[in-house]
């Protein structure tokens, strides 16, 4: 069995609170950005709005006790959120370090330890990966299109 050894004997409460506040605010900001962009995208795509309204009416009806199980049935709503994230990622990119043995990409060798930036905002709009990448199309994330 593994035995964990603390790296310091006491926890600095100020540092703990600071970390919590940072993560809490970061989580709220990314969520609020997603919802803001989703509202903007739905507002400019009336057929998407109609489908969302129909799905909510069908799945939730007059239910006042909204459960996790009911929310999981809102498949089109999830597709809208995923498409919104594709078109408006919450972060511009992700940094990664190449493994020690290096990496061969597109005929080039990237030495181990090299820091790479993966630009999500660019990758998510590349026609090599998405048909009509500048078109808001939640159906690209439908079950039949994600097999």
């Amino acid at each position: 069995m593994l035995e964990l050894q603390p790296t310091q004997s006491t926890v600095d409460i100020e540092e703990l609170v600071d970390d919590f506040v940072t993560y809490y605010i970061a989580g709220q900001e990314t969520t609020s950005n997603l919802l803001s962009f989703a509202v903007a995208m739905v507002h400019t795509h009336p057929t998407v709005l109609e489908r969302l309204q129909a799905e909510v009416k069908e799945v939730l009806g007059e239910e006042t006790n909204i459960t996790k199980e009911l929310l999981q049935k809102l498949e089109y709503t999830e597709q809208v959120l995923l498409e919104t994230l594709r078109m408006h990622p919450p972060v511009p990119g992700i940094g990664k370090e190449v493994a020690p043995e290096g990496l061969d990409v597109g005929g080039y060798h990237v030495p181990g330890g090299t820091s790479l930036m993966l630009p999500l905002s660019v990758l998510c709009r590349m026609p090599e990966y998405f048909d009509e990448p500048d078109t808001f199309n939640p159906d690209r994330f439908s079950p039949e299109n994600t097999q």
Side-chain angles (χ1 to χ4, degrees):
M1 176 172 276
L2 292 175
E3 189 173 314
L4 298 176
Q5 299 295 321
T7 56
Q8 57 189 78
S9 59
T10 60
V11 174
D12 181 356
I13 193 68
E14 287 182 31
E15 186 177 336
L16 187 63
V17 169
D18 184 55
D19 286 348
F20 170 78
V21 169
T22 299
Y23 295 130
Y24 181 76
I25 290 172
Q28 280 194 334
E29 182 180 359
T30 54
T31 302
S32 65
N33 285 344
L34 166 61
L35 295 176
S36 296
F37 279 120
V39 167
M41 298 309 290
V42 169
H43 175 73
T44 58
H45 295 81
T47 56
V48 171
L49 175 59
E50 290 170 11
R51 284 183 65 185
L52 281 172
Q53 290 171 327
E55 179 181 65
V56 168
K57 188 174 184 177
E58 178 185 327
V59 173
L60 303 180
E62 299 298 319
E63 183 64 57
T64 56
N65 182 28
I66 310 301
T67 64
K68 178 181 175 185
E69 290 74 27
L70 282 173
L71 290 176
Q72 289 174 335
K73 293 179 181 179
L74 297 173
E75 293 178 10
Y76 189 68
T77 302
E78 182 178 6
Q79 291 171 216
V80 169
L81 294 174
L82 289 171
E83 179 68 346
T84 301
L85 285 170
R86 182 192 69 79
M87 293 194 76
H88 304 284
V91 293
I94 298 173
K96 292 289 180 185
E97 187 174 295
V98 176
E101 63 273 8
L103 176 69
D104 292 317
V105 178
Y108 296 94
H109 180 74
V110 181
T114 302
S115 293
L116 295 178
M117 181 65 165
L118 304 172
L120 295 178
S121 53
V122 173
L123 292 172
C124 289
R125 293 205 182 212
M126 292 179 71
E128 297 91 331
Y129 304 114
F130 297 98
D131 292 333
E132 299 181 36
D134 293 325
T135 300
F136 183 72
N137 178 14
D139 286 325
R140 73 176 82 239
F141 290 102
S142 67
E144 53 273 0
N145 288 330
T146 56
Q147 297 294 330

